[in-house]
Each structure stands twice: as structure tokens, then as C-alpha cells.
Amino acid sequence: MNERIRADFPILKDIIYMDSAATSLTPEPVLEAVLSYYREYNANVGRGVHRLSQVVSQKYKDAHRKVAGFIGANEGEVIFTKNTTEAINMVAYGLNWAKGDEIVTTLLEHHSNFLPWLRLKEKGVHLKIVKPNKAGLFELSDFEPAMSDRTRLVAVTQVSNVLGTISPIKEISAICKEKGGEDSLFLVDGAQSAPHIPVDVGELGCDFIAFSGHKMLGPTGTGVLWVKNPNELEPTLFGGGMIESVSKDDYTLAGGYERFEAGTPHIAGGIGLGRAVDYLKEVGTGEIRDYEERLAKKLLEGLQSIEKVQVYGSTNLSERIGVISFTMTGLHPHEIALMLDEASDILVRSGHHCCMPLMDYLGLKDGTVRASVYLYNTEGEVDTFLETVERIAKVV
Ligand SMILES: Cc1ncc(COP(=O)(O)O)c(C=O)c1O
């Protein structure tokens, strides 16, 4: 698939970008969609009757429809946010919590799917934390004792941003519905899954999924919260654009996504995100998954064969994506990242990856180096990466 795709990412001409788990690159068609908003129909959404207002409102709505289609949902259930973090916080702030409520989460979580729940301790909400094994995989039976009739929410990441491992979301959802409270809800952090593996909210059996547009070829400042029953969630922001009517004493909220998108949204970004999911669909989410699996295999096998390198996470390719963490005896992860950049223009992430509880659990106080690949990376780039890591390991 590669040459045609790479032509859409001119930034790749002199770098090897392996930091897509932090943010992905943006292809030309998405940039064009963003620019065409400003060049051709720059106006506000949902507020006017003039011609530009009508064009932009329709395009913004279409973008919601496209993103909804991408995850097997309906248009009115998809709310545009600025990122995954905002989306998860909307759930934390938008549900009514009672003292004694319980939240089940895991030790794999990114801080964005951990702190919003930890903060609720102030309200008397208890947090139960399920541990994966050291490879990042769960025993399903570990979720059962964590659930009770006080379980209000289960919040789990579908793919670990450190270990790349895929969690059994469908099965966890079934346990949540069976063993949790009658009104227990299930939130999936899809920040690392939506860009890389086919995601269907019906199949996952969740009530919320949050993900970031900027990690799936969309513009920065874009993210998504899908809500199964929008009426069960209180909006966190109130103001223009989210009401049906307002009187001196009262108001009636609008339905659908508008209820949660008070104020002028990131219109160009939302339209760009719609174009990004079209792009991913054109390439094919299954094809992307297969292609990245090939790159991940090469990366894993290559890294494992280098002396002094320790690789983390499951090595079974069917239960992981191309997000690969490693360390090297004798060097700090930041040193390795700098050396990769300096020696071969390879850009990787290093540190704790916003997962300090997981790093503590794995005994990695300095964190790891994380290489993450996407549809625009090549096998040749993986070869260069492995040769460079090998050279670095030889000089330590
Ligand atoms: C699993 C996971 N959840 C949440 C986030 C937060 O995403 P954002 O910074 O776009 O809010 C990230 C970002 O890396 C992530 O990997």
C-alpha cells in the first residue's frame, strides 16, 4: 500500500516517524479539507440561514455521520471533543456519583483514563484496580471479584499505549453486565485502538468510547466521545448552540451531539476528522491492521535479537499492535531516543508515557523507549531502526 500513501505525507521526506501513538501525521487530503473550510465556506455552524452557514452546518454534521459510521454508531451519538482526555472527563463530570459507588479500572491505563476516576475518591467513590500480568494481558477471572452491585462504571483501555497489548473488551463488557450493578456502565478508552484496528461499538458492548482524532490522521484539537444513551449523561458545558429553547427561568437542551458541544466548536478540525476517517476507510481498516502486524513482527523479532535490549508486552501478534516498548541496559530511554534521532532521523517517544502506575508495576522507573508505527511506515524504515538500535547497543 505504501508509495501512494507516503506521497500524502511530504513531512516524511527526511524523517522516520515512529511516534504515531503520541500523535499521527496528517495526510494532504485532510489538510486540504481543513483549508477548504477557511478558503471556501468559513462561517459558524448551526446559527444562521445565510448560504455559508448552511454549507458549513451540513459539512460539520456530515463529519459526525462519517465518524459515527466508522465505529458502527449513529450520528447523534458521536460528540466531537478536543481529545480523548476531554471525552473521558465529560463522562466523569457528566454522571451523578453517589458515596459508595465503585469504579473498576486497570493498571494499564493512561493517566487520562485514571486521574478522572481517582479524583472521584473525594466524592466517596471507590476505585478497584485490576492488574494485568507483566506482559500486559488480563486473566478475565480477575475482573469478576472486582465487580459488585455497587459497580457504577468499568473503564478500560482497548489497547495499551505502552505495551501495545489488546484487551478482551467484549468479554470484560459481558462480565460488567453480569456481575456489576444493574445500571453499571462500560467505558472504553479507544485512543490506541480506533486508529489501528477495526472498532464497532455494538460488538464491543460498551456504553462510551473515547478516542483522539489527532492519533488517526485527523487535525490536533480533535477527539470523540461516543455515548450510547446521550440522555443519561449531563453536559459539562452550558451555553450557545446546545439548547432547544431558553426562557428567563429555564431551558430545554437540544438532542443529539449538539447538547454536548456548547459554544463554537473546532469546525475545521471536525471536518478534517471526517476526511481522516474517509481516508482510513479508503485504505481499509483491516488492511491497515494486517500491514502494521507485519511491521510489528519485524520490529519485535529484530529487537529481541539485539543483546542488551529488553522488549515489553506480549509477543503474540494477534494480541498486540505496532506500539513497542523496550529498554537497553546501560542507557536511559531519553538517551536512546536522542541517539536514534541524531544517528538516523528516527523519532520515537521515551519516558513513562503518562502511565506511571504501570511503570511502577513493571519496575521501570525511567520508563521505556516506545516505537509506534502506522500505515505510512515502511519495512525499510524498520530495518534502519533496527540497524541503528544495534549500533547503539554495541557502543554502550
Ligand atoms: C490509551 C490512551 N488514552 C488516552 C490518551 C490521551 O489522549 P489525548 O492526549 O489525545 O487526550 C492517550 C494518549 O496518548 C492514550 O494513548
Side-chain angles (χ1 to χ4, degrees):
M1 60 161 102
N2 225 271
E3 279 320 305
R4 184 176 51 79
I5 287 173
R6 281 178 73 84
D8 285 331
F9 297 86
I11 193 172
L12 285 171
K13 70 181 184 315
D14 47 19
I15 53 166
I16 296 180
Y17 190 75
M18 293 195 176
D19 195 17
S20 296
T23 197
S24 64
L25 302 177
T26 320
E28 289 295 304
V30 172
L31 298 178
E32 278 158 23
V34 170
L35 280 179
S36 67
Y37 163 73
Y38 290 110
R39 288 187 172 137
E40 294 161 28
Y41 51 92
N42 191 157
N44 212 334
V45 290
R47 290 173 195 188
V49 293
H50 66 69
R51 73 187 91 154
L52 290 192
S53 178
Q54 289 194 32
V55 173
V56 70
S57 298
Q58 189 57 49
K59 296 219 186 242
Y60 190 64
K61 199 167 179 318
D62 287 347
H64 284 75
R65 183 180 40 76
K66 288 175 188 184
V67 174
F70 189 71
I71 55 166
N74 301 312
E75 175 195 307
E77 302 158 356
V78 161
I79 303 155
F80 283 177
T81 64
K82 68 171 188 270
N83 49 37
T84 302
T85 307
E86 183 179 57
I88 293 174
N89 273 278
M90 283 168 67
V91 177
Y93 281 93
L95 294 175
N96 281 323
W97 300 97
K99 199 163 182 256
D101 280 350
E102 294 175 358
I103 296 175
V104 177
T105 187
T106 84
L107 211 52
L108 265 191
E109 306 308 317
H110 186 281
H111 295 165
S112 292
N113 193 30
F114 195 74
L115 287 175
W117 317 126
L118 199 57
R119 192 193 66 89
L120 289 171
K121 278 188 169 182
E122 287 165 16
K123 296 196 169 193
V125 173
H126 300 296
L127 208 54
K128 294 196 169 171
I129 302 169
V130 179
K131 280 187 199 161
N133 66 17
K134 298 272 170 167
L137 302 172
F138 290 106
E139 281 298 335
L140 278 174
S141 55
D142 287 346
F143 281 90
E144 290 181 16
M147 312 275 179
S148 80
D149 56 4
R150 303 303 309 260
T151 306
R152 188 73 209 292
L153 183 83
V154 178
V156 180
T157 189
Q158 188 171 9
V159 172
S160 160
N161 64 305
V162 174
L163 301 173
T165 43
I166 303 172
S167 298
I169 294 297
K170 234 191 307 186
E171 291 76 4
I172 299 171
S173 161
I175 297 172
C176 165
K177 300 292 168 203
E178 197 195 320
K179 308 268 180 199
E182 233 169 57
D183 58 351
S184 64
L185 297 165
F186 186 35
L187 176 141
V188 174
D189 176 349
Q192 299 296 343
S193 56
H196 300 285
I197 58 179
V199 164
D200 182 293
V201 288
E203 253 178 54
L204 292 179
C206 54
D207 299 285
F208 308 101
I209 188 166
F211 51 97
S212 298
H214 70 90
K215 292 186 199 286
M216 49 193 288
L217 311 185
T220 55
T222 65
V224 173
L225 175 65
W226 168 77
V227 182
K228 188 173 174 184
N229 294 313
N231 290 340
E232 283 180 6
L233 192 70
E234 267 285 294
T236 34
L237 290 181
F238 287 74
M242 50 92 75
I243 44 85
E244 207 54 74
S245 67
V246 189
S247 73
K248 182 159 72 47
D249 304 311
D250 208 0
Y251 58 84
T252 309
L253 295 176
Y257 66 80
E258 287 172 339
R259 182 189 189 90
F260 300 95
E261 293 189 18
T264 301
H266 184 4
I267 304 168
I271 290 167
L273 177 57
R275 184 64 190 93
V277 300
D278 277 347
Y279 191 98
L280 291 170
K281 273 183 10 206
E282 281 154 27
V283 179
T285 49
E287 281 73 8
I288 294 172
R289 166 76 178 134
D290 291 346
Y291 181 67
E292 289 177 15
E293 203 170 304
R294 276 204 344 249
L295 298 181
K297 180 171 192 291
K298 206 172 162 85
L299 271 168
L300 277 175
E301 288 175 357
L303 282 171
Q304 279 172 323
S305 71
I306 302 173
E307 219 186 312
K308 298 190 197 145
V309 167
Q310 300 82 41
V311 185
Y312 301 92
S314 167
T315 50
N316 180 347
L317 290 162
S318 66
E319 55 196 12
R320 62 139 49 251
I321 67 159
V323 168
I324 291 153
S325 266
F326 67 98
T327 53
M328 192 187 287
T329 310
L331 281 181
H332 192 285
H334 289 330
E335 290 177 305
I336 301 167
L338 282 171
M339 288 162 106
L340 285 167
D341 187 358
E342 206 150 287
S344 303
D345 306 308
I346 296 169
L347 314 183
V348 294
R349 184 49 62 106
S350 49
H352 54 68
H353 315 296
C354 297
C355 282
M356 285 181 168
L358 176 65
M359 291 300 165
D360 276 351
Y361 175 59
L362 297 176
L364 296 167
K365 78 173 170 39
D366 296 332
T368 67
V369 183
R370 181 185 72 186
S372 53
V373 290
Y374 209 178
L375 71 170
Y376 36 68
N377 291 109
T378 65
E379 301 213 24
E381 289 181 333
V382 173
D383 287 334
T384 308
F385 168 82
L386 292 171
E387 283 156 22
T388 314
V389 175
E390 200 159 8
R391 262 192 286 140
I392 294 172
K394 282 204 178 111
V395 298
V396 188

